[in-house]
Amino acid sequence: MNLAKWLCRTARRCPDAPALLRGTNVVATYSGFAEAAARLATGLVDRHGIEPGDRVALFMANRTEYLEVLYAVWFAGAVAVPINYKLHPKEACWIADNAGAKVVFTSANQLSAMQPLTAGLVEPCQTISVDDPGFADLRNHAPMVEPLERSYDDLAWLFYTSGTTGRPKGVMLSNGNLHTMTFCYFVDVDEVYASDAALYAAPMSHGAGTYNFMHVLRGAKHVIPESSGFNPSEILELGRTIGGISMFAAPTMVRRLVVQARAEKSDGEGLRTIVYGGGPMYLADIEEGVDVFGPRLVQIYGQGECPMTITALSRDLVADRSHPRWRERVGSVGLAQSCVEVQIVDKDGATLPANEKGDIVVRGEPVMRGYWRNEEATREAIRDGWLWTGDVGMMDEDGFVTLSDRSKDVIISGGTNIYPREVEEVLLNHPSVVEVSVVGRPNEEWGEDVVAFVVAKSGSELHEAELDQFCTDNMARFKRPKLYVFLSALPKNNYGKVMKTELRLRLEGS
Ligand code: AMP
């Protein structure tokens, strides 16, 4: 089924309900939202020759037009290719080219950089700025009566991975993948009510954008902050004014929100659910988060290849500090979601017993259909129906999965596996350490040894010897870093993930 049908049904059921908000201003009701998408869809077909299955890219910051364009693309039976707006126009153009996009929607500030680049592509690609009169003209086409027929298997979203190693790959997500992901959210993550609001503080091209489906189904609001991004005090204020807010936040965002809430003496009033994930949330941060926000936090573990839907840790489990195994559980990513099977396996794919570390594999309806035009990578990722996540972890007797690291980040020193996250967790407990990332460095004798990149609290006089003593006091000797490198900030990609590849590069020749 075409995903745009959800929007049409909601618009019929509650046409006057507020749908799209910029800050606190309602820009469109559900009937306005659906009509704009239906008109743009006709424009895409009549003026730009878009046919079912064609790719249409979006390269712009979070804004209400983003959702109109997404639904217009689906209305017309096409495939959306959201591109992180923080990418360089050349990188965005590479993605548009790889996807074979016929049209790229962008904004005024990026148009002049994009146009000459797309003009040089082999397959013709038109660029439309949503700030230009041409976009308003597209909206003046007669509305398409019904979304075009799409099947469960037809593609809806080409999701480009964040590319912490090499070029990004296009993950093919079908209507079926996104349907199941949406339904599973209601079962395992959170209910959504008509009075709720999805707040888009992280890029809509990535995980945050997928929250639109549940909110469209329930006729809830979609709020784009005035800042178009993540500003903690703005978010707390929007919570107080609008209420019922759900948002996706990467762990660093949760940390900043907690700091701001403490400064304002806020308990997060009006924020109903903060879904965190996308990277490790360290124990000290989650403890503080629960202290400040109480039962508002839910964790999910997913990846582009199985969006949102591998495991979840419910709000009750996150907040129940009285449970004897609470610390263990919040250190995990929770339980397999209802629509998938999750297993821990060895290199040959054999299932490992409880509490043994191995590769995390997942099977089920939300798993991608493969990588776009990359059969080799698809064969590598999906074997015998199981998606190899590239993450290493273990599952306890109760089914809780704990992530150790990305498999390629595991350090093998003297034949022993060292999981960088364990070392990072210890170092983060040092009062002068703000951020840390641990990687392996080639070593002739040991294979690899451990190096810690550390961001120290400003004004603190932190030395290698002090950290070494701290590690000696708190972890097995063989895991201790052999080298500490102090940085003012860790290199992160456009989704806020630490670029360990770049850290390793810095070590070359050292
Ligand atoms: P992406 O496809 O860019 O969303 O990245 C997915 C990867 O982020 C996963 O394979 C994990 O390595 C990591 N990740 C996602 N969710 C979590 C989580 N809750 N805790 C720790 N790491 C996570």
Side-chain angles (χ1 to χ4, degrees), residues 159 161-162 206 276-281 299-305 333 389-391 403 405-406 421 495 497:
F159 178 103
T161 57
S162 48
H206 213 70
Y276 67 93
M281 178 91 162
Q299 185 186 189
I300 56 160
Y301 159 49
Q303 57 178 199
E305 291 80 349
V333 290
T389 60
D391 292 313
L403 290 197
D405 276 288
R406 298 286 299 160
R421 183 159 171 200
Y495 291 106
K497 296 195 193 223

